Amino acid sequence: NGRTLRALYAPCQVKRFFPGWDRLQVTKVALNLVNAVQMLARHRVLVNDFNPNNFLIDKQGKVTLIDCDSFQIPSSRGGVNITKTYFASHVAPELLKDKSKLNCPRNIHHVEFGTALTVFQILMCGLHPYNYYDPSHKSACGTPDENLLKGRCPLGKGSGCRIPQGGWFNLWSYLTGTLKGAFISTFRKEEGHSTPAKRVDLDRLEM
């Protein structure tokens, strides 16, 4: 039962599908999602496909994962059962740059990237961390998929691009400094985008 994560991608939809909810309930959904991915990872089960349609939310904020054939699961014969499934706007950039890596087992840094991106969208009402506008052109530049591949992220100082105008900046300002730092370290080209080990781990994202 439930609605997909896309139901949280606009305040009007939250009011429609989850009447009475405020930011606290939305934040709990993000925490529940992290806990679910974290629990699976402890058992060496890795979520590969972070398509928002693969996560359902009920009216209590519980998150259910569906379409689970995209999970990477340990094999009873040793090794892992690999799947090549991914969602282009939510996948680690090294997999987009070199599709041959999809033939190899995923690792926890791939999961950290997809989880952090999904949590960002929950807390930012659907805004993608690689969605930006160029102040010199006053317009959006490229699709999130294209920007993710290039590492064009508007978060943090000196990025050369900005979070889209409107209420997005207010949402960003509401986040704690620790959470902002976690997103910056995961998505910026100079950090987690190009160096997977710099991505926020699931334990720190939970906090």
Side-chain angles (χ1 to χ4, degrees):
N1 291 324
R3 298 282 176 178
T4 72
L5 279 185
R6 295 186 188 278
L8 302 182
Y9 285 5
C12 61
Q13 293 186 160
V14 175
K15 291 180 180 179
R16 176 185 174 190
F17 297 122
F18 303 102
W21 276 29
D22 57 21
R23 292 287 294 171
L24 179 60
Q25 278 72 38
V26 172
T27 302
K28 286 181 177 179
V29 169
L31 182 59
N32 288 340
L33 183 142
V34 173
N35 288 339
V37 174
Q38 192 177 45
M39 181 272 293
L40 290 169
R42 289 194 189 106
H43 294 279
R44 295 175 52 225
V45 176
L46 303 185
V47 178
N48 287 349
D49 187 2
F50 283 87
N51 184 334
N53 293 326
N54 290 349
F55 303 92
L56 298 182
I57 319 152
D58 67 17
K59 293 187 177 180
Q60 285 71 49
K62 177 183 175 183
V63 177
T64 301
L65 283 65
I66 61 173
D67 199 11
C68 302
D69 59 335
S70 61
F71 290 3
Q72 177 175 290
I73 301 174
S75 170
S76 60
R77 300 182 298 277
V80 294
N81 292 313
I82 299 172
T83 65
K84 300 180 182 181
T85 308
Y86 68 94
F87 194 60
S89 61
H90 290 65
V91 71
E94 60 269 23
L95 298 178
L96 286 178
K97 291 178 180 178
D98 183 0
K99 298 292 180 61
S100 67
K101 291 183 177 180
L102 293 171
N103 297 314
C104 304
R106 305 284 175 93
N107 61 53
I108 192 62
H109 298 311
H110 300 145
V111 177
E112 290 165 350
F113 190 89
T115 305
L117 200 154
T118 304
V119 168
F120 182 92
Q121 286 199 296
I122 293 171
L123 298 179
M124 294 289 290
C125 292
L127 181 69
H128 195 284
Y130 292 94
N131 190 352
Y132 71 93
Y133 81 99
D134 184 335
S136 63
H137 295 92
K138 304 295 182 184
S139 63
C141 299
T143 67
D145 295 25
E146 294 168 342
N147 296 334
L148 189 159
L149 186 60
K150 296 175 183 177
R152 291 298 308 274
C153 176
L155 307 179
K157 296 180 179 179
S159 64
C161 50
R162 298 286 183 271
I163 293 175
Q165 294 174 307
W168 305 120
F169 183 80
N170 289 337
L171 290 171
W172 175 250
S173 68
Y174 296 153
L175 302 181
T176 65
T178 300
L179 196 50
K180 288 178 184 176
F183 288 139
I184 290 170
S185 66
T186 299
F187 301 133
R188 284 290 295 270
K189 187 173 185 178
E190 304 81 1
E191 300 192 52
H193 182 275
S194 58
T195 308
K198 291 185 178 181
R199 294 169 189 166
V200 60
D201 62 44
L202 298 177
D203 288 339
R204 189 155 69 94
L205 186 60
E206 181 186 27
M207 298 171 62

